[in-house]
């Protein structure tokens, strides 16, 4: 079967829609883990078979991840809050250590962000992501790079368009993971 430019445009539109769906499904913070995990399943299926999975199988995947993923959204938001507090305290001089500790905190935060991206790719399995990050450090760094590129792009697009980056981010993370695994 030959592919033409319309297939690429269709895939890009589908990924944009997936990004919006994941964003809307993640708005009640407790469903964020299940939404991202289900989107990860959909992207993996799309990359393997070049078709999207049925809605019924995605709803089963979402329900199966809902209880397991209840911690993901609040934990991610809590982690961001504590990193923000650390950075704020270090920049104001309230916490001793100055630029050296600030650099260390930001480096750990960036690596944790890469680990969270690997958790998303693996469908919500933190221990598997931890083992994968330890066994393949370049993969962790590549995941960090992909997330940082997406965050940089988010700074340059209209805020209403930021959710569409979620689908592209998941696709890129799956592509990088498949390549470096």
């Amino acid at each position: 079967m030959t592919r033409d430019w319309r297939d690429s445009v269709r895939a890009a539109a589908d990924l944009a829609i997936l990004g919006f769906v994941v964003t809307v499904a993640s708005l009640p913070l407790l469903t964020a883990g299940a939404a991202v995990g289900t989107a990860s399943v959909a992207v993996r299926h799309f990359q393997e078979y070049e078709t999207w999975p049925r809605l019924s199988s995605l709803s089963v995947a979402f329900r199966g991840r809902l209880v397991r993923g209840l911690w993901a959204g609040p934990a991610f938001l809590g982690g961001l809050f504590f990193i923000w507090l650390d950075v704020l305290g270090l920049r104001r001089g309230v916490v001793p250590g100055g630029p050296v500790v600030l650099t260390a905190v930001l480096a750990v935060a960036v690596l944790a962000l890469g680990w969270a991206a690997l958790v998303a790719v693996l469908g919500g399995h933190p221990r598997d992501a931890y083992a994968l990050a330890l066994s393949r450090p370049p993969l962790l760094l590549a995941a960090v790079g992909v997330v940082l590129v997406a965050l940089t792009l988010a700074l340059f697009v209209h805020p209403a368009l930021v959710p569409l980056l979620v689908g592209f981010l998941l696709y890129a993370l799956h592509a990088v993971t498949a390549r470096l695994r």
Side-chain angles (χ1 to χ4, degrees), residues 124-163:
H125 299 284
R127 290 185 182 150
D128 293 344
Y130 181 72
L132 184 61
L134 286 180
S135 66
R136 303 235 193 266
L139 177 58
L140 177 63
L141 296 177
V144 166
V146 169
V147 172
L148 290 178
V149 166
L151 289 174
T152 303
L153 288 173
L155 294 173
F156 292 110
V157 299
H158 190 278
L161 298 177
V162 170

Side-chain angles (χ1 to χ4, degrees), residues 16 21-22 29 32 41 45 50 52 62 68 70-71 122 125 176:
V21 170
V22 170
L29 195 58
V41 168
H45 187 277
E50 294 185 10
W52 293 99
F62 183 81
R68 280 191 348 227
L70 286 176
W71 63 270
L122 297 178
H125 299 284
V176 165

Side-chain angles (χ1 to χ4, degrees), residues 72-158:
F76 187 78
L77 197 59
L80 286 177
F81 175 72
F82 286 122
I83 290 168
W84 176 75
L85 278 179
D86 285 347
V87 169
L88 190 65
L90 286 164
R91 291 196 67 209
R92 287 189 177 172
V94 176
V95 178
V100 175
V101 176
L102 179 62
T103 303
V105 166
L106 291 177
V108 169
V110 165
L111 291 175
L113 191 61
W115 170 78
L118 290 178
V119 170
V121 168
L122 297 178
H125 299 284
R127 290 185 182 150
D128 293 344
Y130 181 72
L132 184 61
L134 286 180
S135 66
R136 303 235 193 266
L139 177 58
L140 177 63
L141 296 177
V144 166
V146 169
V147 172
L148 290 178
V149 166
L151 289 174
T152 303
L153 288 173
L155 294 173
F156 292 110
V157 299
H158 190 278

Side-chain angles (χ1 to χ4, degrees), residues 53-81:
R54 294 183 173 273
L55 193 57
S56 60
S57 65
L58 290 178
S59 67
V60 168
F62 183 81
R63 283 191 308 254
R65 286 173 167 70
L66 192 56
V67 173
R68 280 191 348 227
L70 286 176
W71 63 270
F76 187 78
L77 197 59
L80 286 177
F81 175 72

